[in-house]
Amino acid sequence: MSKLFRAVIMGPPGSGKGTISERIAHSFGLKHLSSGDFVRENISAKTEAGVLAKTFIKKGLLVPDHVMTRLLLPRLEEMTKCSWLLDGFPRTLAQAEALNSACDLDVAINLNIPLETLKERLRHRWIHPPSGRVYNMCFNPPRVQGIDDITGEPLIQQEDDRPEALVARLRHYKDIAKPVIDFYKAKGILYTYSDTETDQIWPNISTLLSTKIPTIQSDARCASTH
Ligand SMILES: Nc1ncnc2c1ncn2[C@H]1C[C@H](O)[C@@H](COP(=O)(O)OP(=O)(O)OP(=O)(O)O)O1
Ligand SMILES: Nc1nc2c(ncn2[C@@H]2O[C@H](COP(=O)(O)OP(=O)(O)O)[C@@H](O)[C@H]2O)c(=O)[nH]1
């Protein structure tokens, strides 16, 4: 019988979650849901959760679990006819448990990328904040340096992507992600990929999803967000 497909993608900053999510959305027709994009949308729209979230992000902190779940879960519950891939959520065990109460996941993809690779990638990461589009000056450069391909607007580098900031971010990520990884391992849905190149990992993820997704009904395939 056909069913909807639900997946999450996890990994430290710079591990390629956004890049791989876009490839999955494009190849398999899933909707790519980015928690960072949801947060930014709420901040721009000045929703109650968005205003609250901004106070934490400004201090370089994660948004608290109850704010994050209040922001995200209703959006997921609306998507009853859609297969999706969630990127950036859950970040903590409490978020994983809240998600588990709301829906059944088929797959949790875990990206395990060496620290030196992450540092190198983030050093060259440029983003277009209004759309969330991500570039890399070596891997996928924009057509014109420093300029977004679609809008022609300027690209920026995030303070957080500096190598000095990354080490602390990564340590924090490891501490909070470990229980989430164990949670999905215990459920038997964890698939971990380790390599220095997205192009090496991608065929393996694509093969995995090909075995999991063919039973999805065509009306359950939704367009990507970008
Ligand atoms: N699941 C979450 N829990 C708590 N805060 C979150 C969550 N998702 C996003 N946020 C908040 C904190 C982040 O700094 C901010 C932007 O998120 P995101 O776009 O995922 O960027 P990021 O810079 O943390 O991730 P990355 O470097 O891994 O791409 O939104
Ligand atoms: N050199 C290189 N850069 C990559 C590779 N995969 C992704 N990137 C770039 O590395 C940066 C981080 O990737 P991103 O998808 O934003 O990771 P996220 O933080 O996990 O969402 C971006 O600038 C990407 O364009 C790769 O295999 N090699």
Side-chain angles (χ1 to χ4, degrees):
M1 204 186 97
S2 310
K3 72 184 271 294
L4 295 171
F5 181 80
R6 313 279 195 221
V8 296
I9 184 162
M10 303 177 54
S15 56
K17 299 181 293 297
T19 305
I20 290 174
S21 296
E22 284 304 310
R23 291 189 188 187
I24 294 174
H26 180 75
S27 302
F28 294 96
L30 306 184
K31 188 141 179 103
H32 170 207
L33 306 171
S34 149
S35 66
D37 288 349
F38 277 128
V39 170
R40 282 183 284 274
E41 278 166 31
N42 275 269
I43 291 176
S44 301
K46 297 194 168 63
T47 64
E48 197 189 335
V51 171
L52 200 52
K54 192 174 174 182
T55 61
F56 291 92
I57 292 178
K58 262 174 40 189
K59 293 181 208 150
L61 299 171
L62 283 183
V63 178
D65 292 331
H66 69 280
V67 178
M68 217 43 225
T69 49
R70 200 170 75 205
L71 203 142
L72 209 79
L73 295 187
R75 290 289 290 272
L76 296 183
E77 280 157 15
E78 283 166 15
M79 276 186 251
T80 51
K81 294 203 175 106
C82 202
S83 289
W84 47 249
L85 168 72
L86 190 49
D87 157 18
F89 186 99
R91 282 241 210 334
T92 65
L93 183 58
Q95 293 179 10
E97 286 169 343
L99 182 61
N100 187 51
S101 310
C103 66
D104 285 328
L105 289 182
D106 299 285
V107 163
I109 296 170
N110 177 34
L111 303 176
N112 180 25
I113 312 295
L115 172 65
E116 284 312 312
T117 306
L118 300 175
K119 276 191 193 164
E120 189 57 21
R121 285 184 186 179
L122 294 187
R123 214 157 58 81
H124 297 288
R125 175 157 79 172
W126 288 77
I127 60 164
H128 177 244
S131 67
R133 269 185 291 280
V134 174
Y135 298 88
N136 183 287
M137 287 309 157
C138 314
F139 182 65
N140 61 332
R143 282 197 290 270
V144 179
Q145 190 165 357
I147 300 292
D148 178 47
D149 285 350
I150 311 287
T151 62
E153 290 168 354
L155 303 175
I156 62 148
Q157 281 195 293
Q158 301 182 113
E159 274 288 297
D160 263 9
D161 284 350
R162 282 177 300 119
E164 316 83 77
L166 181 67
V167 174
R169 274 174 92 196
L170 197 67
R171 192 175 309 122
H172 183 55
Y173 169 82
K174 279 193 169 158
D175 289 345
I176 60 170
K178 171 90 173 52
V180 183
I181 289 168
D182 291 344
F183 180 80
Y184 290 133
K185 198 185 285 173
K187 288 190 159 295
I189 59 165
L190 184 78
Y191 296 84
T192 297
Y193 298 91
S194 308
D195 204 287
T196 54
E197 290 299 324
T198 292
D199 288 345
Q200 297 297 323
I201 290 175
W202 170 240
N204 300 325
I205 294 183
S206 179
T207 302
L208 167 79
L209 297 184
S210 304
T211 66
K212 303 272 180 193
I213 297 183
T215 52
I216 292 180
Q217 283 173 326
S218 56
D219 62 1
R221 292 165 67 93
C222 303
S224 156
T225 46
H226 295 300

